[in-house]
Amino acid sequence: NVYRYERRLEICVELGGIDPKTVDVQVEPGRLRVRGNRPVPEPPHKPGETMRILSMEIDHGPFCCVVPLPPQVELSRVDSHFDNGLMWSRLPLGVQG
């Protein structure tokens, strides 16, 4: 999700089930890139215990999300934080000259 305010962008990326320390976030001129790997969600079970998957709806595996950015994003002032499985990035906008 991308939200535009007068002086900033707010970007929200859903990262439930992913350790924030394993997420690679890069902000470059013209784009924000988020890369990582979501492990297969499995319930705890005993070794050797038989399990059948009846339905799998949660995406898993490697992912890469690229969000195009306008040229007036102040790259040195970008801030990101995690909150309840969501990564929020605040991107201040400068005056384009």
Side-chain angles (χ1 to χ4, degrees):
N1 296 354
V2 180
Y3 307 90
R4 172 122 189 199
Y5 293 87
E6 185 177 332
R7 303 291 299 171
R8 73 183 189 278
L9 296 177
E10 295 276 347
I11 298 175
C12 181
V13 179
E14 188 275 320
L15 296 174
I18 301 171
D19 180 352
K21 293 178 250 167
T22 67
V23 177
D24 178 37
V25 180
Q26 295 183 357
V27 183
E28 304 165 342
R31 70 180 183 175
L32 169 84
R33 184 172 60 200
V34 180
R35 290 189 296 194
N37 187 35
R38 183 187 320 263
V40 176
E42 292 184 348
H45 57 279
K46 298 174 187 168
E49 184 177 30
T50 302
M51 173 184 63
R52 286 189 314 153
I53 298 173
L54 302 179
S55 176
M56 179 69 75
E57 296 192 22
I58 299 172
D59 289 337
H60 60 278
F63 65 88
C64 182
C65 171
V66 178
V67 179
L69 300 176
Q72 66 266 36
V73 169
E74 295 182 6
L75 300 177
S76 64
R77 296 183 51 218
V78 172
D79 178 52
S80 296
H81 71 277
F82 287 83
D83 185 25
N84 290 322
L86 302 174
M87 183 191 77
W88 288 93
S89 294
R90 175 174 283 196
L91 300 97
L93 299 173
V95 178
Q96 188 174 5

